[in-house]
Amino acid sequence: MRELPSQPMFKNWPSSTVLHDTAEQFHILVDSVEEYAIYMLDPNGNVITWNTGAEKIKGYSAEEIIGKNFASFYTAEDVAGGKPQRNLHEAVRRGYIRDQGLRVRNDGSTFEAEVIITALRDGAGKIRGFSKVTRDITDQIRSREFEAENIAAQKASKAKDDFLAALSHELRTPLTPALAAASYLEDNAEKLPPDFLEDVEIIKRNVQLQARLIDDLLDLTRIARGKLHLELEDCDAHEIIHNALETANSAIEAKQLKVSTDLEAKEYRILADCIRLQQVFWNLINNAVKFTSKAGQITIRTFNDKQARLNFEVTDTGIGIEPQRLASLFQPFEQADPSVSRQFGGLGLGLAISKRLVDLHHGTIEAESRGRSFGATFKVTLGTLPAGAGDRGRNSAIAGKTSKPLHILLVEDHKDTRRTLSRLLTHFGHEVVTAGNVRTATEVMGSDHIDVVLCDIGLPDGSGYEVASQARAKGQVKAIALTGFGTEDDVRRSKEAGFDFHLVKPVNFQELRTVLDQVAA
């Protein structure tokens, strides 16, 4: 008989003791895993092992669940539909399956689970059970859902912004020729029959009101998204109040209101955005005008408190406000009474925008009223600059400068706007040549001496950005955007394209004259 070798023929095979130790270590490792439920099922789907992760995720102790069918982990709907057994059959057929869906804990709560079921066979290929690994992916699902919702919200927000920008452009464009025509007629009042003058003023006032409503909608959107930025400078609050009063003057005269001003504040210089602050004061004055009956009284005053802050007050003898409605006055789309919007009009945005603007200036705004028929008082409180601060107001930059005739290229595809604006610019003393598209504008700039290009952005054969780029290339030609697109992104894009100024339709013609004076200087 042949003698066996003293060393095993397959010396790398582990001994039975090593195999036992390895299996024990594997079971210890599996049992210590807490992030995954790892357990075994018999061929019928009954639980035969249970690890710590299974107890943590599913809420059953080993004593409670071993011996019970794994269908306990499925929802009633899934059990009724035969999903547990169907999953086992599919695992047998394919070797394993991966599933995702709701699973039920011991306390009846559900969670999102990712499951892998693997069929286990003996040496003869017969099914001897299943291994099952379950992971709770509720947080991952929520994170993906949140990310998807966030992306959808961003897309919806952009779509809304694009819509508002397009709506603004379409609404503003027809207002420009109407306002230009009214301004021209107003400047030539001596040529009109006296009974026409009031009609011209009505047209102008209502066009400006329409433009203000559009601006309010866009301002509220910018504020809500945190995209409204202030250009802070040294402002003369009393001068701003006078400017706001002048803007409201036509409405005041139309209602024959008596307005008294008592600007007694000694400290009235404010670090603020002068234009936005004028918007606040105008909103409050306009609000008093709107809700005060014909021949009523409006009182405007300023004073300093003990902290040297500026207090601006507007008091009217109008319809008043019920005390219980004071708290909601500064909410968007709120008015003191539902009947107010029907009687006096408006969107209920002026006070809400004023509140946000005052907040951005670190000030306060409040309203007081004893009730219906007792009028109302609105007060704004703002910090002031130290005494002796220099006058760096926005108007000082153009003080003393006079306009001189300019050779202007007006690029505008809207026929009525081109005609009326050209006539008004000519009335201002400038030489005007017009173009309705990029091609014609390019030809004019190449053949004529042009000082200023006043250009719409949306043109039929291209973009005003192309015209601005050509103006910049010529060096001495200034470019002014004249457009219905007025968002902060629109202003940024126009500056990047080469425009020196960005004016929004319908044009404030005083602002246009100021810009042209700056160019001429």
Side-chain angles (χ1 to χ4, degrees), residues 275-326:
I275 294 175
R276 290 300 184 179
L277 199 57
Q278 181 172 323
Q279 184 180 351
V280 171
F281 293 156
W282 178 85
N283 272 333
L284 297 182
I285 293 170
N286 185 64
N287 191 68
V289 172
K290 180 191 292 188
F291 297 115
T292 301
S293 301
K294 190 173 183 178
Q297 174 76 36
I298 294 175
T299 302
I300 299 170
R301 75 185 191 106
T302 66
F303 61 91
N304 296 121
D305 56 24
K306 293 180 180 179
Q307 289 79 40
R309 296 177 301 181
L310 176 81
N311 289 267
F312 165 82
E313 283 188 353
V314 180
T315 301
D316 62 64
T317 58
I319 63 173
I321 308 164
E322 293 91 338
Q324 65 271 22
R325 293 189 180 272
L326 287 172

Side-chain angles (χ1 to χ4, degrees), residues 53-108:
E55 183 172 340
K56 179 180 177 182
I57 294 173
K58 295 181 178 288
Y60 291 93
S61 67
E63 293 77 12
E64 290 177 300
I65 196 62
I66 288 178
K68 293 185 178 179
N69 195 273
F70 85 120
S72 306
F73 310 138
Y74 288 78
T75 64
E77 293 81 3
D78 284 346
V79 172
K83 184 174 182 178
Q85 292 305 315
R86 191 164 61 249
N87 281 354
L88 292 185
H89 292 155
E90 190 67 14
V92 169
R93 187 179 70 85
R94 295 169 49 191
Y96 78 96
I97 66 162
R98 186 186 297 270
D99 187 27
Q100 182 177 315
L102 282 180
R103 294 296 186 268
V104 182
R105 296 188 180 93
N106 189 18
D107 62 4

